Amino acid sequence: MHAAPEMAAAEFARWQKLIEVRTGIHLPTHRKTFLQQALLTRMRELQQTDYNKYFVSLRDGAQAAIEWACLVDLLTVHETRFFRHPESYDLVRSFCRNLLQREPDSRQRSVQVWSVGCSTGEEVYSLAMLLQELQQETGPFYFGVTGTDISYPALASAREGIYHLRRLVGISEEQRATHFQALGDDYFQVVSPLRQRTCFVQGNVNDIRLAKQQMFDIIYCQNLLIYFQNDKRRELLNGLCEHLRPGGILVLAPGEVLRWQHPEMMRIDNKQCLAYSHRGDGRVAE
Ligand SMILES: C[S@@+](CC[C@H](N)C(=O)[O-])C[C@H]1O[C@@H](n2cnc3c(N)ncnc32)[C@H](O)[C@@H]1O
């Protein structure tokens, strides 16, 4: 890859601000090279060489919105994997068990989950597999897993649910046989009944307060907040809580937020996980 044209400090600050205002993502100075490379990649495709001209092209209008979506995809990190933090999935399983035990009428039993910053879908399908498997223990219940992400290409890939064998790390052979269909050449697709339990929607977590008031039992948000400044993290968490049903849980990745308190949320006593329970109707996770 060619070196990107050097970016002056003032130019960097201008890009930093644009990205933070629009996405919440904070690019510290040590990520200047990353920004330059991302811009260079896109500008080369457009046969542009001037940071300023490209900046102006992102400002207003429909074309600017399309261009912005392309750039955002280059600026976001999509690293993910199935059952990435197993202890958090154990916590979700335990929470759901309790939740379902409390509802004797199987027609009323349902679990709605939101995976925030779902990338290419591994997290959403891990949650869906977990809930599908839990039914063997609890009996039938309705569930749905919604994944949102700012990146359109990541979501397109998530909707297909096709993964190379290399990416099925964390999936047991039994799970592979149950939840995936072999497509050949070491590619596997999540089976249609499980995909039908999922839904992928483009959404910027930074605009959360504008989002439709859909409510969830579990909000699963891992490895997204790390790209935001501490104040922003706390602000986003406050926004997420507004989408949590009373008694629901919010699951983050360990260490992702410090000193966050919310009058309606209680830290779950679990040393391996960072999760909070909505003080509501007394549902508890163990
Ligand atoms: C590192 S991945 C984490 C994926 C998954 N949650 C996991 O833990 O494996 C972070 C994801 O957050 C998305 N993202 C970054 N900023 C976002 C924003 N402002 N709104 C929504 N999604 C965002 C990125 O596109 C990326 O797919």
Side-chain angles (χ1 to χ4, degrees):
M1 183 178 270
H2 294 291
E6 190 47 40
M7 186 182 263
E11 184 75 41
F12 176 64
R14 191 158 79 128
W15 281 99
Q16 218 179 9
K17 187 169 168 205
L18 178 78
I19 293 161
E20 190 151 3
V21 166
R22 289 195 183 178
T23 68
I25 297 172
H26 174 66
L27 286 182
T29 314
H30 70 261
R31 300 208 75 206
K32 186 170 143 190
T33 311
F34 165 79
L35 171 67
Q36 289 181 171
Q37 288 299 351
L39 293 176
L40 183 70
T41 302
R42 188 57 194 149
M43 283 161 53
R44 199 178 280 143
E45 282 165 2
L46 299 169
Q47 300 186 332
Q48 287 197 20
T49 49
D50 182 21
Y51 288 132
N52 181 49
K53 257 197 188 151
Y54 184 52
F55 187 94
V56 171
S57 78
L58 290 167
R59 275 215 298 243
D60 306 301
Q63 192 53 43
I66 295 168
E67 185 48 41
W68 175 250
C70 293
L71 180 62
V72 160
D73 187 53
L74 293 171
L75 292 173
T76 42
V77 177
H78 301 131
E79 187 192 333
T80 184
R81 57 184 183 272
F82 288 100
F83 296 100
R84 185 170 187 172
H85 186 245
E87 296 84 354
S88 294
Y89 288 94
D90 291 342
L91 181 99
V92 166
R93 194 178 295 105
S94 160
F95 167 76
C96 292
R97 249 183 223 127
N98 286 341
L99 174 65
L100 294 161
Q101 270 165 11
R102 278 156 196 252
E103 180 52 73
D105 182 352
S106 68
R107 288 163 308 177
Q108 302 291 330
R109 296 159 116 205
S110 92
V111 181
Q112 288 296 337
V113 190
W114 180 14
S115 156
V116 190
C118 66
S119 188
T120 42
E122 286 87 334
E123 187 171 277
V124 167
Y125 293 122
S126 300
L127 290 159
M129 281 184 252
L130 181 157
L131 293 168
Q132 180 73 39
E133 289 166 12
L134 191 61
Q135 299 196 30
Q136 291 172 1
E137 208 184 294
T138 62
F141 60 89
Y142 180 78
F143 71 87
V145 187
T146 301
T148 59
D149 202 282
I150 200 169
S151 161
Y152 286 99
L155 289 166
S157 157
R159 280 187 198 106
E160 281 190 337
I162 298 176
Y163 303 94
H164 191 270
L165 181 62
R166 276 192 307 272
R167 288 172 64 188
L168 298 192
V169 178
I171 299 286
S172 68
E173 291 215 355
E174 195 186 336
Q175 284 174 319
R176 196 168 88 198
T178 311
H179 302 298
F180 291 85
Q181 181 194 354
L183 299 180
D185 291 336
D186 281 347
Y187 281 93
F188 293 83
Q189 183 169 34
V190 177
V191 291
S192 172
L194 201 64
R195 275 188 285 132
Q196 283 168 20
R197 296 295 189 154
T198 66
C199 155
F200 293 95
V201 184
Q202 199 273 347
N204 181 351
V205 77
N206 207 32
D207 297 334
I208 208 160
R209 283 171 194 278
L210 306 176
K212 222 171 68 184
Q213 276 300 320
Q214 203 177 339
M215 302 301 280
F216 297 90
D217 299 292
I218 300 165
I219 298 182
Y220 203 92
C221 179
Q222 294 199 329
N223 305 300
L224 165 62
L225 296 175
I226 42 171
Y227 301 104
F228 303 129
Q229 302 255 52
N230 281 328
D231 284 354
K232 188 80 198 168
R233 292 182 198 192
R234 290 191 276 266
E235 184 190 317
L236 292 177
L237 290 174
N238 291 341
L240 288 178
C241 290
E242 290 177 19
H243 294 265
L244 206 52
R245 288 190 178 139
I249 58 169
L250 170 65
V251 184
L252 310 176
E256 271 190 314
V257 71
L258 295 173
R259 293 183 294 281
W260 174 65
Q261 288 188 330
H262 186 285
E264 286 174 348
M265 301 297 292
M266 206 166 49
R267 174 90 195 260
I268 293 174
D269 185 17
N270 182 317
K271 289 195 172 45
Q272 292 164 308
C273 301
L274 179 58
Y276 298 82
S277 172
H278 190 286
R279 298 174 206 272
D281 59 6
R283 296 171 187 173
V284 280
E286 281 157 4

